[in-house]
Amino acid sequence: MLQLPITELDVRPGRVLTWRLGDAPERRTPGVVSYNQEDQLATVRALREAADPAVAPESLACQPVITFEIRRPPDPRALEAALLHFVRRHDALRSSFRPGTAGAAGGATCEVTDARDAVLDYRDLGRPDSPAALRTVLDALFKEIDVLAGRLFVLAAVVREGSATVYLAFDHSVYDGLSAAVAVHDVATAYAAYARGAEPDLPPAESHVSFSRDQRRRMATLHAGDGRLEYWKQCMT
C-alpha cells in the first residue's frame, strides 16, 4: 500500500468522470449508528461549531482515497454499473446521519435508502490538460465529502483511450483502512463481469446496520467487572 496526498499524485490526464449517491424516493428505513460513527459525527460537528481557523474543513472528512487501474480500453457504462452495484451492496454507503444533541456524543440517528432505490448522480468534469490541473480537480472533488451534509463518498475515474484510473473516496463514518481491499475487490469484480456482459458473482455482503444493532445490544449489558473487558484492560496496561 502506498499512501500519498492527492496533491502529490502524478497521474496521466484524461477525462474526469464522477459519481455520488443521488436523491432517492422516500423509501428509507431507520438504521442503527455504530459507536465509531456516532463519535465521528460528534467530532465533526464540534469542530465545525468551534470554528477553529486551524482546522481546515476538509480535514474533518475523508480522506482515504483508494485507486486502482483498468489497463485496457475502459467501458464507462460497465464501470458505472459496477459502482452502483457496490453502493447497493453495502448499506453503510446508503445511510444518512444526524448527530445527536449539541455537546453530546450520544443520540445520533441514521436512515438507510433501500438498495433498489439507490441511484448515482453522474458528472463529466472535462479533461484537465496537465497532471497539475488534474490534481487540482481531484483535490477539490474529494473535499466535497461532508458527513453532515449527507455526502459520504465520491467515486471517480480518469478515463483515457486505453486505460483508466478509478478513485474511491469515503468519509470515515462509512470506511476504515481494512475496507480498502473489500472496496477494490467488489468494484473490480463487478466491472469485469459487466464489461463482458455478465452479472457479478459475489457472495452476499454483511450488513453494517445489523452489526451496529448487535453492537448496541451487546454493549448494553457491559459493566465494569465484565470479563469481556479483560483483554482490553491488558492492552491498555
Side-chain angles (χ1 to χ4, degrees):
M1 177 182 291
L2 181 63
Q3 294 184 328
L4 289 172
I6 289 293
T7 51
E8 293 183 14
L9 288 180
D10 187 11
V11 180
R12 188 157 56 93
R15 183 166 295 279
V16 181
L17 311 180
T18 179
W19 299 264
R20 64 185 187 191
L21 190 64
D23 293 332
E26 292 300 316
R27 184 159 53 176
R28 296 189 177 101
T29 57
V32 179
V33 180
S34 71
Y35 291 112
N36 283 344
Q37 289 172 331
E38 192 166 65
D39 183 67
Q40 169 74 355
L41 287 163
T43 299
V44 170
R45 186 188 56 196
L47 290 172
R48 289 263 176 87
E49 292 175 349
D52 186 343
V55 180
E58 60 269 19
S59 70
L60 309 179
C62 34
Q63 282 292 342
V65 181
I66 315 159
T67 72
F68 69 90
E69 296 291 317
I70 298 174
R71 300 187 184 278
R72 61 188 65 182
D75 182 339
R77 290 187 179 181
L79 179 57
E80 180 168 322
L83 295 172
L84 180 58
H85 180 272
F86 172 63
V87 170
R88 288 178 170 173
R89 179 172 163 78
H90 296 285
D91 55 15
L93 301 179
R94 294 180 275 106
S95 298
S96 59
F97 300 101
R98 290 185 178 180
T101 305
T109 60
C110 78
E111 291 183 326
V112 183
T113 296
D114 190 289
R116 296 166 294 176
D117 294 332
V119 295
L120 294 177
D121 282 344
Y122 162 81
R123 289 184 291 167
D124 184 333
L125 301 184
R127 187 185 298 271
D129 58 7
S130 69
L134 175 59
R135 287 194 293 270
T136 298
V137 169
L138 292 175
D139 189 44
L141 177 63
F142 299 136
K143 286 175 181 175
E144 293 179 4
I145 292 175
D146 183 347
V147 64
L148 298 184
R151 297 191 294 271
L152 302 180
F153 62 85
V154 170
L155 313 173
V158 178
V159 177
R160 312 170 198 93
E161 184 175 341
S163 67
T165 305
V166 180
Y167 295 85
L168 313 174
F170 309 90
D171 182 80
H172 278 301
S173 61
V174 295
Y175 173 91
D176 60 30
L178 296 177
S179 305
V182 175
V184 170
H185 176 266
D186 279 11
V187 175
T189 300
Y191 172 76
Y194 286 126
R196 64 174 185 269
E199 287 295 316
D201 183 17
L202 289 166
E206 297 292 333
S207 164
H208 189 273
V209 172
S210 295
F211 161 80
S212 300
R213 181 178 294 110
D214 183 60
Q215 181 189 55
R216 295 278 177 176
R217 179 187 58 78
R218 288 183 288 108
M219 294 302 103
T221 61
L222 201 63
H223 54 85
D226 198 306
R228 290 175 290 177
L229 294 175
E230 290 306 314
Y231 172 82
W232 297 107
K233 289 178 180 178
Q234 292 173 17
C235 290
M236 300 298 292
T237 57

